[in-house]
Amino acid sequence: MSENRNVVIIGSGCSGHTAALYSARANLKPLVIEGHEPGGQLSMTTLVENFPGFPEGIMGPQLVENMRKQAERFGAEYRMAHLTSADLSQRPFVLHLGHHVVHTQALIIASGASARWLGLPNEQQLIGHGVSSCATCDGFFFSGKEITVIGGGDSAMEEANFLTRFATKVTLIHRRDQFRASKIMLDRARGNPKIHFLTDTVVDDVLDVSKKEVTALKLRDLRSGKSWDHPTSAMFLGIGHIPNTKIFHGQLDMDADGYLKTRDYVFTKIEGVFASGDVQDRRYRQAITAAGSGCMAALEAERYLEGHGG
């Protein structure tokens, strides 16, 4: 079974929803493939206070649901499906959703990037309740408290430095005594009196699910084998993200970490294929920037279709 579309959008986070809204208002009748993480990272966030237009803040899941309803109002169609393969060498492009095939004149890739997690027993249950992968999003909620950052690269150093604006103390935990971070970022963190380093240490679990908040981390010294509970109000993961681009390997240009390379904001190397949001933005990774690039991708897709009889 197959169908033909003007534009297909891969992903249903802020970028995908915004692309759907603009495409639908242009009467392109977009199909949105929701993917394995419907709603993107905002669906795992509690209170969002930095998205314009909500002076009292809004819950992450509610924000993405509002975006979806707005796009659907103008004719966007959403489908719970997974993209299993794509052929971008043909015109129209060929997308396989399991046994179903979709042919599309234009494609917007807004599949996002998934945060790297530690895989701890209680980690997922405490996301949004003290476990976070975004200091910019959640740091403010821990003003005046002691918090912990996990990681040894530039992301961890940047998160730790940023969080000292709010926390009384930031403990940075790394499993080795050597760091991947650049010298300038490491020196900046080491020079911050609020940041304390704990090396050769791993996190075995996060507490306390019964209280629905982070109260401590179960730590283990890799040299001595000693375990102990480290009191903290939050655990921020600074171990990077994984862009959801695997299906496009060998077809689109990517950097060493798998983020899609774009020119002029949203253009990929293949005419008619656009990328927006965290799948190509490793610098900002904010809901509002993802939404903005989703708008750009939709506008460019509309122009592309106009020029190609779509």
Side-chain angles (χ1 to χ4, degrees):
M1 182 179 178
S2 64
E3 62 182 292
N4 298 304
R5 291 281 177 165
N6 290 315
V7 59
V8 170
I9 299 163
I10 308 298
S12 55
C14 281
S15 189
H17 285 317
T18 307
L21 171 63
Y22 274 77
S23 299
R25 280 177 56 82
N27 201 32
L28 296 178
K29 299 178 174 56
L31 172 64
V32 183
I33 307 304
E34 296 199 61
H36 69 285
E37 288 182 356
Q41 293 187 56
L42 269 188
S43 63
M44 297 185 293
T45 306
T46 49
L47 188 64
V48 177
E49 292 192 313
N50 56 3
F51 199 93
F54 299 92
E56 303 303 320
I58 183 170
M59 300 302 285
Q62 185 62 58
L63 178 58
V64 292
E65 180 61 21
N66 287 355
M67 290 180 175
R68 174 179 175 144
K69 288 179 178 176
Q70 191 172 3
E72 285 180 321
R73 176 187 161 206
F74 291 101
E77 180 186 340
Y78 284 78
R79 187 173 301 170
M80 179 62 74
H82 300 279
L83 180 64
T84 52
S85 67
D87 185 349
L88 306 184
S89 66
Q90 297 187 46
R91 303 280 177 163
F93 307 120
V94 182
L95 308 176
H96 291 269
L97 311 176
H99 297 298
H100 190 75
V101 178
V102 178
H103 300 270
T104 183
Q105 300 297 327
L107 176 66
I108 297 174
I109 303 170
S111 48
S114 302
R116 294 182 190 270
W117 303 103
L118 293 174
L120 307 175
N122 294 317
E123 185 178 44
Q124 296 295 310
Q125 296 178 69
L126 289 169
I127 292 174
H129 300 279
V131 172
S132 173
S133 62
C134 181
T136 311
C137 310
D138 300 324
F140 175 79
F141 300 118
F142 301 97
S143 298
K145 298 180 179 180
E146 294 187 8
I147 60 181
T148 304
V149 172
I150 315 298
D154 281 353
S155 294
M157 304 304 153
E158 187 176 355
E159 299 262 292
N161 270 305
F162 177 81
L163 289 165
T164 58
R165 302 181 188 186
F166 312 104
T168 56
K169 175 184 176 182
V170 175
T171 301
L172 195 149
I173 296 174
H174 185 45
R175 63 182 301 120
R176 291 180 286 274
D177 61 358
Q178 300 294 317
F179 295 90
R180 301 186 316 278
S182 59
K183 185 178 185 300
I184 187 171
M185 292 298 293
L186 183 57
D187 289 346
R188 192 175 296 166
R190 281 178 167 158
N192 192 320
K194 283 189 174 184
I195 298 177
H196 300 257
F197 286 79
L198 198 53
T199 58
D200 293 300
T201 302
V202 293
V203 184
D204 284 332
D205 207 358
V206 55
L207 307 173
D208 182 346
V209 170
S210 64
K211 295 181 179 178
K212 295 183 179 179
E213 64 178 356
V214 173
T215 59
L217 304 180
K218 278 191 172 296
L219 302 183
R220 176 165 45 90
D221 189 308
L222 290 174
R223 295 160 300 185
S224 66
K226 174 189 173 186
S227 295
W228 72 101
D229 288 353
H230 169 72
T232 188
S233 296
M235 179 178 77
F236 285 85
L237 281 301
I239 55 178
H241 290 71
I242 305 170
N244 300 313
T245 57
K246 188 175 181 180
I247 279 177
F248 302 106
H249 281 194
Q251 301 190 76
L252 296 173
D253 291 338
M254 303 178 189
D255 68 12
D257 293 319
Y259 287 87
L260 292 179
K261 288 184 177 181
T262 52
R263 60 176 176 78
D264 297 332
Y265 305 107
V266 296
F267 289 84
T268 70
K269 75 172 187 178
I270 296 179
E271 191 179 18
V273 179
F274 309 91
S276 62
D278 288 9
V279 78
Q280 51 86 235
D281 172 21
R282 60 182 306 154
R283 183 177 181 89
Y284 300 106
R285 296 197 302 265
Q286 298 299 302
I288 191 65
T289 53
S293 65
C295 163
M296 297 176 203
L299 292 176
E300 296 299 349
E302 180 184 356
R303 289 170 184 151
Y304 168 77
L305 290 170
E306 286 175 352
H308 291 76

